[in-house]
Amino acid sequence: MNWKLVLEKSLICLLLLFFLFIGWVFARFIILLMVGQRFYLRFADAAACTLAVFIVLWVFAFVRAKVTNLLFVTCLIAGLSAVSVHEYNRYVRDSLATVNEQGVDLRVYQPFGSNTKAVSLDEPSTLMLAADMPRLDGATALYPLYAAFARAVYPEKEYDFRNSEVMCTTTADAYSNLLEGKADMIFAAAPSKQQLEAARSKGIELKLTPIGREAFVFFVNSRNTVQGLSKAQLQGIYTGDIRDWSEVGGSPGRIRAFQRPENSGSQSMLQRWMEDKPLMTPPKEDIAAGMGEIIDRTAVYRNYEQAIGYSFLFFATQMIQQGEIRLLEVDGIAPNRSTIQNGHYPLAAEFYAITTSSSNPNVAPLLQWILSPQGQSLVEKTDYTPL
C-alpha cells in the first residue's frame, strides 16, 4: 500500500470537507437571514452530508468513477425535484393568499359605480355637499357603509377606493392617515393601545362617535362538529390553554387558532375582548393578512383542518359569502341582527366615525347627518345594526 498516496488523498479530502463545512455554515446563515424556512435548512443539511459522502468516494475512488458520477447525478436530480415541488406548492399557497388577502372587490361598492352595491336613500338627502368634502377612509368591512353615506351626500363622480375623497386602506392605515392629516374622518372599530399612544405622541385627541353596532364573530369549518363555545372556552383557545377540540366537545384534533396582524380592527377587538388574559403568540403562518384570508383559510378544510378564526358579522356573511364556514354561538347565543339589537349576543360592539380637530368645515355637519334618521337608515339598509 502506498501510504504516501493515502496521506495525500486524506489531506485533500480533509481540505475539501473543511471548505464544505464553511460553505454549509454560510448557507445556513443566509437561509436563516433571508429565507427562514425549515425546508431549506433541512435541505442544506442533507446536501452537505451527501456532498461529504461523494467527496470521500471521489478522492479515494472506493467505487468506479462512472458509478459515482451516476449516483451524484441521481442525487442532484432528486434534490432539484424536491426544491421544485416545494417552490411550486409555496407559489400556489402564496398566490391564493394574495388573491384572497382582502377577499372582496371593493370596486363593486364605489359610491357611483355602475350597478354599485352601495345602498341608497329612498328620498333626497337633507345634506348635500358641493365642495370641501371630508376625506373618508376606514376598515374594509365598513367601506360599503361609508360609500353609501358618500353616495347620498357627495357630488356624483368617480371615487376610487384607492385614492380619492372616499378611500379604503384598512383599519391600521386609516388610523395612520387620520393622524397624518390625510383623512378627515375614518370609520373603524375602537383604536388599539398602540394607535392611542401614537395619537398622544402627536398631541392629537381622537374623537370617537358611535354610529352603529356590529357582532364580533368566531367561525370554524362547516365540517367541524362544534356548534358553539363559551366566552371562557374561546379565551382559553386564544391564550393557548385549550389546544385540542376534544377539550371543548369536538372531535380530537389540534386547534389551529388563526389571528390577524397587530392594529387591524378585528385583532384590536380580540385583544379588548380577551380583557387581561395574555394572547398567545401564533406561528407566523397562522397570521392572516386580510379578513378574507382568515375566512378562506378556515374554509379550506383539507389544508387547514381544525381551524378557528374571527371577523365581523357583515364581512363574514355579506362581503364574503363563503359557505364552508359556520359561525359559532357564544354562550349559547347565535350572532344575528336580532341578538345584536336586543343586547343578548355577548360580543356585540359599537363601531365609530373617528375624527380629530380637522379644519374641514363639513366634518361636523356630515357627522351630525350620519346620526340623523337618514344616516341611521343607511346603517340599517347596509345590514348593520343602527344605534
Side-chain angles (χ1 to χ4, degrees):
M1 179 180 293
N2 190 337
W3 291 105
K4 183 179 179 181
L5 181 61
V6 171
L7 181 60
E8 288 176 354
K9 288 186 175 183
S10 298
L11 290 174
I12 292 172
C13 186
L14 288 173
L15 185 62
L16 292 174
L17 290 174
F18 173 75
F19 284 121
L20 176 62
F21 174 77
I22 297 299
W24 171 71
V25 171
F26 182 73
R28 285 184 63 90
F29 174 76
I30 294 298
I31 291 169
L32 288 170
L33 190 65
M34 301 184 63
V35 182
Q37 295 188 51
R38 281 181 284 181
F39 169 82
Y40 282 108
L41 288 174
R42 292 194 296 265
F43 183 83
D45 295 343
C49 292
T50 303
L51 283 173
V53 171
F54 277 105
I55 285 173
V56 174
L57 291 177
W58 277 320
V59 171
F60 289 98
F62 291 132
V63 182
R64 284 188 302 170
K66 185 179 291 187
V67 175
T68 302
N69 292 340
L70 181 60
L71 288 173
F72 178 76
V73 170
T74 302
C75 291
L76 182 63
I77 292 173
L80 292 174
S81 299
V83 171
S84 299
V85 170
H86 172 77
E87 286 299 321
Y88 174 76
N89 289 335
R90 194 172 73 157
Y91 168 77
V92 171
R93 183 173 65 250
D94 290 348
S95 296
L96 290 172
T98 300
V99 168
N100 295 308
E101 185 171 334
Q102 291 302 327
V104 64
D105 184 358
L106 293 180
R107 290 174 298 180
V108 303
Y109 293 101
Q110 288 181 177
F112 297 102
S114 58
N115 301 316
T116 181
K117 290 185 178 182
V119 300
S120 310
L121 288 173
D122 297 326
E123 59 187 9
S125 174
T126 57
L127 175 67
M128 294 296 297
L129 301 179
D132 293 325
M133 286 85 70
R135 295 161 298 171
L136 310 181
D137 198 354
T140 304
L142 290 172
Y143 178 70
L145 176 58
Y146 65 87
F149 294 156
R151 180 175 172 82
V153 175
Y154 283 21
E156 183 172 350
K157 69 172 187 176
E158 181 181 352
Y159 295 95
D160 191 326
F161 70 90
R162 290 160 295 198
N163 186 22
S164 71
E165 294 94 337
V166 188
M167 58 185 175
C168 182
T169 63
T170 73
T171 299
D173 288 339
Y175 270 104
S176 295
N177 285 339
L178 183 66
L179 296 180
E180 293 170 8
K182 298 177 182 178
D184 300 305
M185 182 183 299
I186 67 170
F187 300 84
S192 66
K193 291 181 180 179
Q194 292 92 330
Q195 287 157 344
L196 287 171
E197 290 171 2
R200 280 194 293 268
S201 69
K202 292 177 178 289
I204 296 174
E205 179 185 359
L206 295 176
K207 302 173 184 177
L208 278 65
T209 303
I211 63 171
R213 290 178 61 78
E214 178 61 325
F216 185 56
V217 297
F218 290 86
F219 47 80
V220 294
N221 188 277
S222 59
R223 302 182 197 182
N224 194 314
T225 58
V226 173
Q227 301 293 318
L229 295 168
S230 69
K231 179 178 178 179
Q233 288 173 326
L234 286 165
Q235 288 178 331
I237 288 172
Y238 276 92
T239 60
D241 294 333
I242 298 175
R243 297 180 178 273
D244 198 282
W245 284 107
S246 60
E247 299 177 57
V248 291
S251 302
R254 181 181 70 86
I255 298 173
R256 188 170 189 178
F258 281 103
Q259 293 189 41
R260 293 289 318 287
E262 196 75 17
N263 293 324
S264 65
S266 53
Q267 188 70 7
S268 297
M269 183 67 182
L270 176 69
Q271 290 167 340
R272 285 191 295 275
W273 175 76
M274 292 292 290
E275 298 165 340
D276 294 329
K277 297 175 176 61
L279 190 63
M280 69 174 177
T281 301
K284 183 178 179 180
E285 60 268 23
D286 286 357
I287 298 177
M291 286 202 296
E293 184 180 349
I294 197 171
I295 292 173
D296 283 341
R297 286 193 179 192
T298 306
V300 181
Y301 187 78
R302 289 184 179 179
N303 293 335
Y304 298 100
E305 291 186 23
Q306 318 300 349
I308 184 172
Y310 49 85
S311 185
F312 294 99
L313 179 62
F314 176 76
F315 188 90
T317 58
Q318 299 296 319
M319 296 182 78
I320 296 288
Q321 297 180 353
Q322 174 56 264
E324 294 301 316
I325 63 168
R326 182 177 62 256
L327 304 186
L328 292 175
E329 295 179 354
V330 179
D331 292 335
I333 308 296
N336 56 52
R337 295 299 156 204
S338 175
T339 57
I340 299 171
Q341 186 73 52
N342 61 27
H344 290 168
Y345 182 69
L347 302 186
E350 294 174 333
F351 56 87
Y352 303 89
I354 303 148
T355 57
T356 60
S357 55
S358 171
S359 60
N360 188 301
N362 287 320
V363 168
L366 177 59
L367 194 55
Q368 186 176 5
W369 179 85
I370 290 171
L371 296 173
S372 74
Q374 283 192 335
Q376 289 296 290
S377 72
L378 291 181
V379 174
E380 186 169 18
K381 289 182 72 173
T382 303
D383 209 17
Y384 281 102
T385 303
L387 296 175

